[in-house]
Amino acid sequence: MLGLPQTPYRTHLVTATYIIVLFSIAVQGLTIMPLVHKAVAASPDSAGPDSAGPGGGQEDGENAGRQLSSET
């Protein structure tokens, strides 16, 4: 399994690897939505119709917020 030689430390290495991977996935999963919300709030489209280009942009920001909240 995993191409590791049979040593007394193999079980410890595999266990540590799994723990690190699971921890990384959990941390990334817990932090991605706050980062997305900050990115949407900081985008120029969500600043209002005066600062956006043609088409307003406020509607796009509202739609993005609805899409984010519907995914959770």
Side-chain angles (χ1 to χ4, degrees):
M1 182 171 150
L2 300 175
L4 294 174
Q6 290 293 339
T7 65
Y9 303 111
R10 178 182 173 161
T11 307
H12 298 294
L13 286 171
V14 172
T15 303
T17 302
Y18 283 133
I19 290 171
I20 290 169
V21 168
L22 290 176
F23 177 77
S24 298
I25 291 171
V27 168
Q28 290 173 17
L30 291 172
T31 58
I32 191 67
M33 285 310 293
L35 290 174
V36 169
H37 288 296
K38 286 182 182 180
V40 169
S43 70
D45 291 341
S46 65
D50 294 335
S51 64
Q58 188 170 3
E59 295 159 344
D60 295 335
E62 290 173 3
N63 289 336
R66 281 191 212 114
Q67 289 173 352
L68 289 174
S69 62
S70 67
E71 292 176 5
T72 57

